[in-house]
Amino acid sequence: MSNRLEQKTEMPESWGTRDLRERRVTVHGQALAASVLLDLHRSMQRIRHTEETIARLYPQQEMRTPTHLGTGQEAVAAGVAAAVRRDDALYSHHRCHNHYLACGGSVYRLAAELYGRVDGAARGRGGSVHLTDRDNGFIVSSAILGQTVAVATGSALAFRMDGVDRVAVTFFGEATCEEGVIYESMNFAAINRLPVIYVCENNLYSTESPLSVRQPPGTELCARAESFSVPAEKVDGNDVAAVYLAARRAVDRARSGAGPSFIECMTYRWREHVGPQFDHDAGRTYRTKEEFDLWVERCPLKQSAARLISLGLADEREISAWAAEIEKEVVADFERARRAPWPEAGDLFDYL
Amino acid sequence: MRTLKYHQAISEGTVQAMERDPNVFCAGIAVDYPSGIFGTTTEALKRFGPARVFDTPAMENAFTGICIGAAAMGKRPIMVHPRNDFMLLAFDQLINLAAKWRYMYGGNAGSVPIVVRAVIGKGWGQGATHSQSLQAPLAHFPGLTVLMPATPRDAKGLLLSACRHDHPTIILEHRALYNVEGEVPEEPEETPIGKAAILRPGRDLTIVATSLMVQEALDAAEELARHDVDAEVVDLRSIRPLDEETVLASVKKTGRVIVADTSWERCGVTSEIAALCAEKAFHDLKAPVRRLALADCPAPVSQTLEQAFYPKASTIARLALHVIGIDPELVGDIDREDTFKGPY
Ligand SMILES: Cc1ncc(C[n+]2csc(CCOP(=O)(O)OP(=O)(O)O)c2C)c(N)n1
Ligand SMILES: [Mg+2]
């Protein structure tokens, strides 16, 4: 079976004509179908508009669940999710909307979960940080740092025991590299050559703490992984094609029985750690405005759009049209979710 | 019926669970040693090989998460801790994830039916970090099932039930029970989860006990009979879910209760049972509920201190006579000789 992007057979007209989609292009020295780049871009647009819609509606106090927005980090989720199959197992952390959406998770069910409605991804029992969508291979996210790193390793163990070629993937922030559980997990995965891919989203901060107070100078997280004999690769996490290609290499390795991989994706979160605001609007100074502006300049969607245009795969008008269309859908989903029924108080003990 | 020792019963239960379900595997520190966790995993290793019975590095927390992730993909892991104290390192995965999984994802992520076997140590200088008994903190959390088999039959039967149970389940086995012998059916008979057992019926007084304290309570009941006190012994077996019905029925019959547990009193199983009696059987009580548990300090090592630390059959019997209004000093020398030769 091929990966998510290569699996797709039919596509709406707005995703580019068939001729165009089948065109081969070269990115980072690799030949890719144009459809891959087009779909990666659409995936990021869907994430961006969902997160930004949440940011807009969140202050209304109707989404009563601590929410860690993934704006600015779309390329990591989109690139990795596109490199795996729907029957693989993906896990995520507290900043999980991107991964849930990149796997194909429903915007409506995410919105319903944020509004605490019974149609939510976790039926209003989980909230923003506890999502699931098993049909799309998004097993769960969890809000305890490092937890799903071990759990993904366990799913990889199950695949190994069953002799199937499925792989497990876990996303986590770089602060998980300060927790012990990841080293126990990588050690075990390396000993047993488990088909698991550790995807570290290094956005330079853990809440408001910079790397400098958390990791010794000169720390290379990839070197830590390599010290367990886990092959590691550091990529520009804002370049969706680079992430996709690195993930594909890791997935190929895992599927062929060669064991685990570690991918460090350098990226940046735009909004505050938890909540919808920008840090400088909230008067926080732990990051400078200059640093923020620099990373906004490196916006993953902007970079991807520029690539599509320079390769002649789309023009600005088309890209904006896709965005408008996606935004309309997203907003409609949020409106519908807001009107969805609440869980019944009498159902408090269901699913125990 | 033929008899088996407690550890043989666990071994047989493991083999039968693995036989009937190819998804069951057994892992943890030392499970594949010739000593096989005091003889409980050796046979399974012989029968099913290292693919299904394997050693792990010392990584209690991550391996619990690994079991959860394997269970989410359809496996039925049995994780073994040679001492339950090591499980404290795994509380994040156990409590923050396994216990919550089904509920927190609204049933949409399925369940993670892991089984964790963990051994309670006692005596011969096991000391403060190798002889705790974690049922109370574990049973505090909704979503976990916590079992404490006191007999060989239940050691096998509860393990078999746990391997088909839909919830993460912790089985606390007591090292001092491993050589206790008792009747065990050869077929894979399951002990129902959430059902206490009346191991000895009586009219005058109820002793609600867990794990090793059940055996001590049975010895105490023998002695009490010599003083014309007819004690009923209730083996809780399952700490969560708790069989309130059986406990309350017994208390309503006898009107007097002693609760004996292998851990401390504070916020513990003895407190829970005492609260249950106070709330739901108050008007049937003829005497205050009494609790028997470890002395309220960490486990010491020196023999004289260990002696003072652990309650035993004679402690239960003396307290029972006191509750009935008979001179406790009449209790004879009924405590079994401790034959444990160490080290673990
Ligand atoms: C075990 C644990 N410790 C602390 C926290 C509180 N916490 C939540 S998010 C966070 C920062 C995590 O940073 P990182 O992993 O880099 O992810 P990011 O938020 O940057 O995406 C912290 C400390 C937690 N959720 N879990
Ligand atoms: Mg971070």
Side-chain angles (χ1 to χ4, degrees):
Chain A
M1 217 195 290
S2 50
N3 71 34
R4 267 207 176 73
L5 290 190
E6 289 151 10
Q7 261 167 19
K8 263 189 205 116
T9 46
E10 37 189 286
M11 63 293 290
E13 206 50 42
S14 57
W15 292 39
T17 63
R18 185 170 291 275
D19 274 359
L20 183 75
R21 289 180 59 85
E22 281 171 6
R23 217 154 91 195
R24 304 296 285 181
V25 293
T26 301
V27 183
H28 299 307
Q30 300 272 315
L32 284 177
S35 60
V36 169
L37 295 181
L38 290 164
D39 293 344
L40 284 171
H41 192 80
R42 295 274 303 201
S43 173
M44 291 197 295
Q45 284 182 316
R46 190 159 167 272
I47 296 169
R48 172 65 59 90
H49 286 294
T50 303
E51 293 296 73
E52 292 302 283
T53 301
I54 296 169
R56 183 165 57 77
L57 300 174
Y58 200 80
Q60 295 174 351
Q61 282 288 318
E62 288 185 71
M63 301 179 197
R64 298 166 65 92
T65 169
T67 297
H68 309 77
L69 294 171
T71 308
Q73 303 185 192
E74 297 86 352
V76 180
V80 173
V84 299
R85 299 190 313 227
R86 190 163 269 122
D87 68 336
D88 292 326
L90 279 78
Y91 291 89
S92 175
H93 54 121
H94 55 284
R95 201 173 303 287
C96 57
H97 301 180
N98 292 11
H99 315 123
Y100 163 93
L101 292 165
C103 287
S106 142
V107 173
Y108 170 70
R109 300 199 67 196
L110 169 62
E113 190 62 33
L114 300 176
Y115 281 125
R117 305 309 157 110
V118 73
D119 286 350
R123 294 189 163 108
R125 270 96 176 153
S128 162
V129 289
H130 300 124
L131 302 178
T132 180
D133 179 16
R134 293 201 59 152
D135 292 343
N136 280 312
F138 184 87
I139 310 303
V140 299
S141 61
S142 124
I144 301 290
L145 298 183
Q147 219 172 38
T148 52
V149 170
V151 179
T153 307
S155 293
L157 173 66
F159 299 153
R160 192 59 190 284
M161 292 176 103
D162 287 342
V164 296
D165 72 347
R166 297 164 71 187
V167 308
V169 177
T170 177
F171 296 94
F172 49 90
E174 85 287 351
T176 279
C177 297
E178 292 140 32
E179 296 282 1
V181 68
I182 187 174
Y183 302 106
E184 296 179 23
S185 301
M186 282 202 289
N187 183 53
F188 186 79
I191 296 170
N192 295 287
R193 295 170 85 80
L194 298 182
V196 55
I197 299 157
Y198 300 107
V199 183
C200 175
E201 303 190 63
N202 191 342
N203 62 10
L204 315 178
Y205 293 87
S206 167
T207 58
E208 300 181 18
S209 309
L211 282 172
S212 58
V213 301
R214 301 185 286 126
Q215 297 174 8
T219 292
E220 281 297 339
L221 297 177
C222 286
R224 292 189 186 180
E226 282 161 350
S227 76
F228 291 94
S229 312
V230 174
E233 200 176 332
K234 185 172 186 164
V235 298
D236 176 354
N238 280 13
D239 177 345
V240 72
V243 174
Y244 171 73
L245 290 168
R248 236 177 40 172
R249 285 188 284 274
V251 169
D252 287 348
R253 234 186 342 261
R255 270 202 228 296
S256 70
S261 306
F262 181 94
I263 305 173
E264 183 184 14
C265 303
M266 302 307 297
T267 186
Y268 200 77
R269 124 177 96 71
W270 286 13
R271 294 186 178 269
E272 60 190 331
H273 168 67
V274 53
Q277 299 189 83
F278 290 105
D279 280 316
H280 46 263
D281 290 345
R284 293 191 201 98
T285 54
Y286 71 95
R287 323 191 277 189
T288 64
K289 182 76 169 57
E290 291 68 41
E291 181 182 276
F292 171 83
D293 288 340
L294 184 79
W295 281 94
V296 169
E297 195 50 43
R298 296 181 192 157
C299 170
L301 280 89
K302 195 167 145 184
Q303 292 191 51
S304 162
R307 181 177 285 138
L308 293 181
I309 292 165
S310 76
L311 291 170
L313 299 178
D315 60 29
E316 246 166 77
R317 194 187 45 78
E318 281 172 303
I319 294 170
S320 314
W322 302 341
E325 175 205 347
I326 286 172
E327 188 173 9
K328 218 168 86 194
E329 282 171 20
V330 166
V331 169
D333 280 333
F334 274 80
E335 274 169 12
R336 189 156 68 93
R338 207 173 136 255
R339 292 191 305 268
W342 294 97
E344 299 283 338
D347 296 340
L348 180 64
F349 295 114
D350 286 2
Y351 316 112
L352 193 56
Chain B
M1 205 186 294
R2 57 86 201 246
T3 61
L4 286 183
K5 291 186 171 172
Y6 189 88
H7 71 87
Q8 293 168 324
I10 295 169
S11 169
E12 187 171 280
T14 308
V15 168
Q16 290 179 350
M18 294 181 75
E19 222 157 41
R20 71 182 184 188
D21 183 351
N23 283 315
V24 175
F25 69 86
C26 177
I29 293 177
V31 299
D32 65 350
Y33 289 12
S35 49
I37 315 288
F38 320 114
T40 57
T41 55
T42 330
E43 194 57 31
L45 175 64
K46 238 186 267 163
R47 293 282 293 279
F48 304 104
R52 287 176 69 192
V53 179
F54 54 89
D55 195 15
T56 66
M59 49 179 298
E60 291 75 11
N61 192 40
F63 200 75
T64 306
I66 285 171
C67 288
I68 292 170
M73 297 298 122
K75 294 285 159 201
R76 288 268 182 180
I78 303 175
M79 178 175 185
V80 188
H81 296 283
R83 279 292 177 272
N84 78 143
D85 314 67
F86 310 157
M87 199 176 13
L88 285 166
L89 277 75
F91 264 34
D92 174 45
Q93 293 287 351
L94 271 181
I95 290 166
N96 278 331
L97 192 60
K100 275 49 170 186
W101 187 286
R102 186 143 69 161
Y103 189 85
M104 184 165 80
Y105 301 111
N108 288 332
S111 57
V112 283
I114 63 170
V115 175
V116 182
R117 284 182 47 205
V119 184
I120 301 165
K122 182 187 175 221
W124 210 82
Q126 299 292 297
T129 61
H130 282 59
S131 49
Q132 296 170 97
S133 197
L134 298 182
Q135 61 273 29
L138 289 164
H140 187 63
F141 295 94
L144 288 182
T145 294
V146 183
L147 309 175
M148 297 187 85
T151 63
R153 186 176 195 145
D154 288 338
K156 175 177 166 184
L158 286 172
L159 178 61
L160 283 164
S161 292
C163 288
R164 280 201 177 140
H165 194 47
D166 232 7
H167 299 270
T169 301
I170 293 133
I171 306 179
L172 297 176
E173 301 160 3
H174 205 294
R175 183 68 182 92
L177 289 172
Y178 265 51
N179 284 320
V180 166
E181 200 153 332
E183 291 189 339
V184 181
E186 283 175 42
E187 65 274 16
E189 177 199 70
E190 296 188 2
T191 300
I193 287 172
K195 288 297 293 173
I198 297 180
L199 292 192
R200 179 188 171 115
R203 280 170 293 113
D204 299 330
L205 167 122
T206 298
I207 307 171
V208 179
T210 59
S211 187
L212 178 65
M213 295 315 283
V214 171
Q215 298 293 346
E216 303 283 5
L218 290 170
D219 288 352
E222 295 271 306
E223 171 69 5
L224 290 170
R226 280 178 222 124
H227 303 275
D228 288 328
V229 175
D230 190 14
E232 176 149 305
V233 176
V234 178
D235 172 4
L236 270 188
R237 299 201 289 197
S238 171
I239 311 302
R240 183 189 268 274
L242 187 66
D243 183 359
E244 296 191 1
E245 216 176 297
T246 300
V247 172
L248 289 171
S250 175
V251 171
K252 287 181 181 182
K253 181 171 70 173
T254 64
R256 298 183 185 89
V257 201
I258 290 176
V259 196
D261 185 34
T262 57
S263 190
W264 293 288
E265 276 182 16
R266 289 282 170 273
C267 307
V269 172
T270 61
S271 322
E272 188 64 34
I273 299 298
L276 175 70
C277 296
E279 284 183 350
K280 297 189 181 167
F282 185 74
H283 297 291
D284 299 290
L285 290 175
K286 297 175 193 154
V289 178
R290 296 300 304 267
R291 299 184 284 162
L292 261 184
L294 300 177
D296 202 14
C297 60
V301 165
S302 166
Q303 283 183 55
T304 53
L305 298 176
E306 261 187 355
Q307 280 292 326
F309 179 70
Y310 285 108
K312 31 196 170 279
S314 59
T315 332
I316 300 175
R318 271 199 292 275
L319 182 60
L321 289 188
H322 172 77
V323 168
I324 298 275
I326 301 174
D327 180 7
E329 295 317 313
L330 294 174
V331 169
D333 183 14
I334 60 168
D335 294 321
R336 292 186 190 211
E337 191 198 343
D338 184 358
T339 54
F340 187 55
K341 296 259 176 349
Y344 292 107

